Amino acid sequence: MKIHEYQAKEIFSQFAIPVPRGSVAEDADEARKIAEQIGGARWVVKAQVHAGGRGKGGGVRVADTPEAVAEIAEKMIGMTLVTLQTGPQGKRVARVLVEEGVPVKQEFYLGAAVDRAKQCPVLIASSEGGIGIEELAAGHPERIVREWIDVGLGLPAFQARNLVFGMGIDTSFVRTGTGIFSQLYRLFESHDCTLVEINPLVVTEDKRLLALDARIEFDDNALYRHKDLLELKDTDEQDPLELEASRHRVNYIRMEGDIGIMVNGAGLAMATMDLIKQAGANPANFLDVGGGATTEMVTKGFEIILQDKNVRGILINIFGGILRCDILAKGVVDAAKKVAIKVPVVVRLEGTNVEQGRKILADSDLDLVVAHSMADAAEKVKGI
Ligand code: GDP
Ligand code: MN
């Protein structure tokens, strides 16, 4: 689960990681008031979307008066921001963060992530802050330092020092720098994060260290033990169909193609997506209704596929095991009563109660194309 920069900065503050003074605004008037409260002569207005690269995309702007802050906020709120990370469709901006403008002297990169290959957390530091760490890793890997963490030991002082020395910051900041790293790791571990990133951490002209940007991602599988964090979820950032699916515990991921699929079991879903690709088409989604699916879940899943405007054909591929074929068939028939099916539907059913399932489908007046094997299904998808 991703959260916004302003929310991540509130968590940073709880962990004594210094951030610029600021607050979030939902309209221009509120933005002006925040600027007046902060005081000073320079402010930064930042679009709050779940994507980086805002600086280059026009989502981070500097203002010299509270009126200018209001003007920028007026333009930003409601706009669709396109950055390298949003994809070409962009993301709608609902809020902006208004902060004190900071005189930046140097920018660094700090991060904590999960190294899946080494199966442990990794802390990352670099002298090159402000730019994408992926680009830097590709172009100048020697400018990145990493320390792999033994979760049993936590972050020992020597590793924190390696990181701080490695990022080449002035030695007068060693103590503050190691302090920030130990807090960063405490936050990462205690909140079950998959990513905590400070890009950039800056040294200001008046010799302060500040986290100018903040990014946190939580492990979805650990959210059950952080119920309070669920409140930070911004459902506007999610695909509406994926959101609806998750509300009904349907495992659905939207994709670029135009052949909708409904399958039981993640492995069979992968195989089915391969099959569609091999037939020269592209899957519109991943949908695993799972073993314990009820008729309602199948109905909901089918409804969701039908709501996707890109879908021009559907393949239902079920191997009835725990999910019986008759349950699946009933779900499809129920969904068809609610939503008009305007696209061809190919069905391949095998396994438990397959005869009952086929009968339910045959007795309905649905216009289905029955496939008798995986290979046959592939042929029939080709014909769509
Ligand atoms: P991102 O592009 O989405 O990662 O957004 P950031 O929060 O990292 O902002 C992009 C860049 O804007 C930073 O790397 C800084 O160079 C610059 N920036 C942001 N806030 C300030 C500020 O208060 N003062 C100055 N001088 N630069 C800032
Ligand atoms: Mn950044």
Side-chain angles (χ1 to χ4, degrees), residues 372-384:
H372 301 285
S373 65
M374 287 282 270
D376 189 28
E379 272 310 307
K380 290 189 162 134
V381 165
K382 246 184 227 173
I384 288 177

Side-chain angles (χ1 to χ4, degrees), residues 251-289:
N251 195 359
Y252 168 90
I253 314 254
R254 197 168 185 174
M255 294 170 65
E256 251 96 77
D258 50 15
I259 305 291
I261 66 162
M262 181 147 87
V263 185
N264 64 326
L268 186 59
M270 299 292 229
T272 305
M273 296 198 314
D274 284 351
L275 185 108
I276 288 171
K277 278 271 185 193
Q278 277 166 8
N282 286 303
N285 65 276
F286 170 101
L287 196 166
D288 167 18
V289 287

